[in-house]
Amino acid sequence: MLCLDLQDHACPYPLLESKLWLKTAKAGDKLQLLLGDSGSRRDIPKYFRRLGHDVLVEQDSRVFRVTITAKPNKD
């Protein structure tokens, strides 16, 4: 699983980085994002869910974590 610590970056950078990962991801690949920006925290899970990928959001007192599991490609 690839983990990207993007806590110090504001949207749209975290979304762009996650889209780049998706271009090469295979079904079942996982990406974990550590996010600090409120826009990224809101928009990234929504975006990947809309595309049909599995999204797990976890938050504790120190970190906001989004784990994306790539769905199978329909091609």
Side-chain angles (χ1 to χ4, degrees), residues 5-24:
D5 185 348
L6 300 169
Q7 295 178 88
D8 295 331
H9 299 278
C11 214
Y13 183 75
L15 180 59
L16 294 174
E17 284 294 311
S18 58
K19 284 181 171 183
L20 285 174
W21 167 81
L22 186 58
K23 285 185 175 192
T24 61

Side-chain angles (χ1 to χ4, degrees), residues 1 30-33 54-56 58 65-69:
M1 172 175 13
K30 292 180 184 275
L31 172 66
Q32 186 175 80
L33 302 169
D54 290 330
V55 178
L56 174 64
E58 301 169 286
R65 183 180 301 110
V66 176
T67 304
I68 301 161
T69 304

Side-chain angles (χ1 to χ4, degrees), residues 14-68:
L15 180 59
L16 294 174
E17 284 294 311
S18 58
K19 284 181 171 183
L20 285 174
W21 167 81
L22 186 58
K23 285 185 175 192
T24 61
K26 295 176 177 61
D29 284 354
K30 292 180 184 275
L31 172 66
Q32 186 175 80
L33 302 169
L34 306 179
L35 302 172
D37 174 59
S38 63
S40 297
R41 290 176 175 195
R42 179 188 62 242
D43 295 342
I44 290 175
K46 187 186 310 182
Y47 174 78
F48 281 93
R49 283 182 179 129
R50 190 174 67 234
L51 293 178
H53 301 285
D54 290 330
V55 178
L56 174 64
V57 176
E58 301 169 286
Q59 183 174 10
D60 61 35
S61 61
R62 298 181 315 142
V63 68
F64 187 95
R65 183 180 301 110
V66 176
T67 304
I68 301 161

